[in-house]
């Protein structure tokens, strides 16, 4: 049996998808030492492999979209039993998180005028134009 190794970290993040990597970055920004455990190769996590995209009211394709409309759609999609405060925080912060991902190197599809493109997704009231992704076949 191989000898075991011991590692000491201030924070241990399990999962290297979008949420796990974001948590690791935030913890590291506070000065904590961070360990990251994942079951697959980095870059092959569910977030990267998913084709659904990121829901954020960027209003780049339809100017009527806003965090308030996104919030209402999220509440309706959750049959109003979801945590309204978490839905509100998500709707308010999602556009900034998409721009943050882009600043960190994520590449999103673009509109003809160079803005991050959004495509259709379920449970959206404004023609569904809210999901940003990479190389997606837009409807």
């Amino acid at each position: 049996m191989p000898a075991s190794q011991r590692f000491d970290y201030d924070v241990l993040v399990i999962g290297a998808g979008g949420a796990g990597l974001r948590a690791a970055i935030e913890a590291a920004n506070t000065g904590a030492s961070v360990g990251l455990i994942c079951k697959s190769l980095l870059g092959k996590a569910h977030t990267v492999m998913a084709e659904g995209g990121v829901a954020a009211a960027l209003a780049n394709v339809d100017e009527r979209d806003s965090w308030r409309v996104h919030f209402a759609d999220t509440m309706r999609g959750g049959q109003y039993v979801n945590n309204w405060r978490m839905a509100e925080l998500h709707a308010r912060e999602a556009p900034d998180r998409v721009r943050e991902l882009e600043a960190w190197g994520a590449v999103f599809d673009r509109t003809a005028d160079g803005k991050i493109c959004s495509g259709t997704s379920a449970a959206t009231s404004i023609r569904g134009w809210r999901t940003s992704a990479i190389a997606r076949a837009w409807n």
Side-chain angles (χ1 to χ4, degrees), residues 17-98:
L21 291 176
R22 183 66 182 91
I25 289 168
E26 192 62 28
N29 284 341
T30 69
S33 63
V34 180
L36 182 65
I37 296 175
C38 64
K39 64 183 177 187
S40 60
L41 296 172
L42 285 175
K44 297 294 184 186
H46 177 71
T47 302
V48 176
M49 303 306 283
E51 295 181 17
V54 179
L58 298 171
N60 290 341
V61 175
D62 191 323
E63 66 281 349
R64 296 174 297 165
D65 204 9
S66 70
W67 78 263
R68 286 179 175 84
V69 176
H70 185 182
F71 169 69
D73 289 344
T74 300
M75 292 303 296
R76 186 174 44 259
Q79 302 292 304
Y80 301 96
V81 297
N82 37 348
N83 183 309
W84 71 268
R85 182 66 178 133
M86 293 298 102
E88 179 186 12
L89 285 171
H90 168 69
R92 281 182 182 260
E93 293 187 14
D96 287 340
R97 298 296 71 84
V98 167

